[in-house]
């Protein structure tokens, strides 16, 4: 399915299941309830996801979009949308996923769709409560959000394989075209 977990927070990784939001062709990764199950298991939130229904998928996508808009609003110094505030609070105040310790010392992660969404909503609110360095990938078409935990606070890309490499290839090609650029090009690139 190609899910990636590069955001440093589950809520932001979840928002990233809709990719290239600013491009002409955004890529939706959660097309069916089975896709949602696969994401939840890949994220390590549940050992075995329950059988989600279409209504669970719709609720998950509604929450995901609220997560994306609200994190973006924080990035852009805007107030969140009132509907998103209500939705996020409604989910976050409900019981979330809780792992169970078994007598043999192993653990089991199980839970319902409602508990899953509560956990994801609370994760975003925890993130917003702290002065974390949430950033947007420097690739202008990529809309993946992540927490920059680098010591120098200079992480620019969501993940090198998806965007950093593309940007490096473009920069390389740009440098190697410089020989035949017109003077006008030089002025615009400063
Ligand atoms: Zn990116």
């Amino acid at each position: 399915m190609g899910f990636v977990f590069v955001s440093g927070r589950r809520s932001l990784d979840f928002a990233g299941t809709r990719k290239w939001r600013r491009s002409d062709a955004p890529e939706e990764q959660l097309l069916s309830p089975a896709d949602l199950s696969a994401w939840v298991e890949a994220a390590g939130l549940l050992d075995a996801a329950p059988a989600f229904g279409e209504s669970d998928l719709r609720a998950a996508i509604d929450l995901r979009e609220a997560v994306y808009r609200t994190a973006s609003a924080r990035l852009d110094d805007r107030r969140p949308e009132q509907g998103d505030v209500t939705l996020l609070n409604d989910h976050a105040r409900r019981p979330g996923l809780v792992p169970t310790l078994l007598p043999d010392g192993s653990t089991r992660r199980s839970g319902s769709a409602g508990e899953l969404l509560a956990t994801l909503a609370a994760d975003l609110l925890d993130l917003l409560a702290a002065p974390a360095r949430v950033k947007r990938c420097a690739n202008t078409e990529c809309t993946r959000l992540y927490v920059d935990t680098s010591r120098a606070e200079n992480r620019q890309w969501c993940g090198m394989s998806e965007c950093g490499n593309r940007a490096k290839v473009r920069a390389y090609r740009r440098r190697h075209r410089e020989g035949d650029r017109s003077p006008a090009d030089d002025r615009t690139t400063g």
Side-chain angles (χ1 to χ4, degrees):
M1 189 52 64
F3 297 126
V4 298
F5 297 91
V6 295
S7 296
R9 295 293 290 233
R10 288 290 177 258
S11 53
L12 300 184
D13 282 324
F14 191 51
T17 57
R18 185 169 176 83
K19 299 161 66 177
W20 317 111
R21 291 165 177 269
R22 287 174 168 173
S23 78
D24 295 336
E27 181 185 336
E28 175 59 68
Q29 291 192 296
L30 302 183
L31 297 170
S32 71
D35 293 336
L36 178 61
S37 296
W39 183 83
V40 167
E41 291 171 13
L45 287 163
L46 293 171
D47 296 328
F52 293 125
E54 289 291 342
S55 62
D56 297 326
L57 177 65
R58 277 194 300 276
I61 286 182
D62 284 348
L63 175 67
R64 183 191 68 184
E65 296 309 297
V67 165
Y68 178 76
R69 283 189 298 266
T70 302
S72 298
R74 168 63 69 91
L75 266 175
D76 300 337
D77 247 347
R78 286 181 286 111
R79 291 166 75 103
E81 294 180 20
Q82 186 52 48
D84 292 339
V85 171
T86 302
L87 186 76
L88 285 162
N89 283 333
D90 279 351
H91 281 294
R93 72 165 62 95
R94 293 179 192 167
L97 298 171
V98 180
T100 304
L101 181 64
L102 303 178
D104 67 359
S106 65
T107 55
R108 176 176 302 145
R109 293 170 175 270
S110 58
S112 66
E115 289 166 339
L116 167 70
L117 299 190
T119 292
L120 290 169
D123 181 67
L124 177 73
L125 301 198
D126 280 340
L127 174 63
L128 297 180
R133 296 184 295 275
V134 177
K135 290 187 176 178
R136 183 185 284 121
C137 178
N139 177 340
T140 51
E141 286 200 336
C142 178
T143 43
R144 207 180 281 283
L145 307 175
Y146 58 89
V147 178
D148 182 0
T149 55
S150 67
R151 185 181 298 218
E153 303 181 24
N154 61 355
R155 179 177 164 192
Q156 295 184 70
W157 315 106
C158 64
M160 290 304 287
S161 61
E162 286 213 320
C163 288
N165 285 348
R166 288 187 195 194
K168 283 184 175 173
V169 167
R170 274 199 302 274
Y172 177 86
R173 288 188 182 141
R174 237 182 350 256
R175 282 197 303 277
H176 285 256
R177 275 201 311 266
E178 274 171 5
D180 40 73
R181 269 198 325 200
S182 71
D185 286 339
D186 283 336
R187 279 201 302 277
T188 55
T189 51

